[in-house]
Amino acid sequence: MIHRPARATRTARPVRPARRALLGPALVLALCATGCAASPGTPTGTGAPAGTVAGTGTGTGTGTVTSTGAAAAAPAVPLKPGEVRVGGEVDKPYTLTLADLRRMPLASVTVTYTSAKGQQTHSFDGVPLHTVLTAAAPRFDPSRKNGALRGVVAATGGGDYRAVFGWAELDPGFAKSQVLVAVSQDGVPLDDNAGPSLVVPQDTKGGRYVSELDRLWVGTVDQVVDGGR
């Protein structure tokens, strides 16, 4: 019988621990771009959610955006029949009625002008338009020579009819006659629901005799002339 030497027992190899997959920052970002859901409230695009104002700032926290834009101005309260809103570039905007005007010192004037009906001659009682506007404190620049001469006034009446005046046409320091906010015509009070009318004695035509007056806007021409808007 042939005796063969016993084979050497093999030593078992140690089991290597499984390698952990390491994801680099670029791969993590790529995966998140395709599969990660945005956190609740976190902006994920450039569009603003419905009903919100889009901001131009940067995020300051979850769901928070710092905006540099001004909030939208609140809509103006609808006017009641006969009311006149005085506003624009003024410090003290206000609303008045014919009843308010009748309690103020009145001036009287008789005028002749041409209208679509031909030549008209009427007498009016009313408050100087300059008085009504200065009560709203227009923001004319006192650092400019005759800064008020940059001022303009837009008068709007029934049916969106509008006429424009230069401030010097209304200022008694420059104008020879006074534009009136009339409360009566030929001794008859104007209808409270219709509102006052403008009377412009220096005009030969009645185009700027704005009736059913409901808005007076005061401003300056600077932004328009200088290209601001």
Side-chain angles (χ1 to χ4, degrees), residues 89 152 217 219-229:
E89 298 172 12
V152 291
W217 181 93
T220 66
V221 299
D222 292 345
Q223 290 181 316
V224 177
V225 174
D226 298 335
R229 62 180 179 185

Side-chain angles (χ1 to χ4, degrees), residues 86-87 90-94 135-139:
V86 185
V90 300
D91 289 330
K92 300 176 180 179
Y94 70 103
R139 292 194 295 266

Side-chain angles (χ1 to χ4, degrees), residues 36-49 52-67:
C36 293
S39 301
T42 304
T44 58
T46 58
T52 62
V53 178
T56 58
T58 58
T60 57
T62 303
T64 303
V65 175
T66 302
S67 173

Side-chain angles (χ1 to χ4, degrees), residues 13 22 26-27 45 82-83 106 113 120 124 145 147 161 171 177 180 182 185 206 214 218 225:
R13 294 181 179 179
L22 299 180
L27 183 57
E83 288 185 331
L106 300 178
Y113 58 91
Q120 306 279 321
F124 294 91
K145 183 179 180 180
Y161 188 86
D171 190 334
S177 59
L180 297 183
Q185 177 179 329
D214 58 25
V218 188
V225 174

Side-chain angles (χ1 to χ4, degrees), residues 139-148 150 220 222:
R139 292 194 295 266
F140 298 139
D141 188 350
S143 67
R144 296 183 180 275
K145 183 179 180 180
N146 287 328
R150 299 166 180 256
T220 66
D222 292 345

Side-chain angles (χ1 to χ4, degrees), residues 115-208:
S115 72
K117 298 179 181 180
Q119 191 175 66
Q120 306 279 321
T121 299
H122 299 284
S123 61
F124 294 91
D125 295 322
V127 179
L129 180 54
H130 183 263
T131 300
V132 172
L133 297 175
T134 53
R139 292 194 295 266
F140 298 139
D141 188 350
S143 67
R144 296 183 180 275
K145 183 179 180 180
N146 287 328
L149 297 186
R150 299 166 180 256
V152 291
V153 176
T156 305
D160 197 33
Y161 188 86
R162 183 167 293 162
V164 177
F165 299 83
W167 187 261
E169 295 181 88
L170 314 176
D171 190 334
F174 292 92
K176 291 183 177 180
S177 59
Q178 285 289 284
V179 177
L180 297 183
V181 184
V183 300
S184 68
Q185 177 179 329
D186 299 327
V188 179
L190 297 180
D191 184 357
D192 286 298
N193 289 325
S197 298
L198 291 187
V199 177
V200 192
Q202 65 264 36
D203 285 6
T204 58
K205 292 187 177 182
R208 293 199 293 180

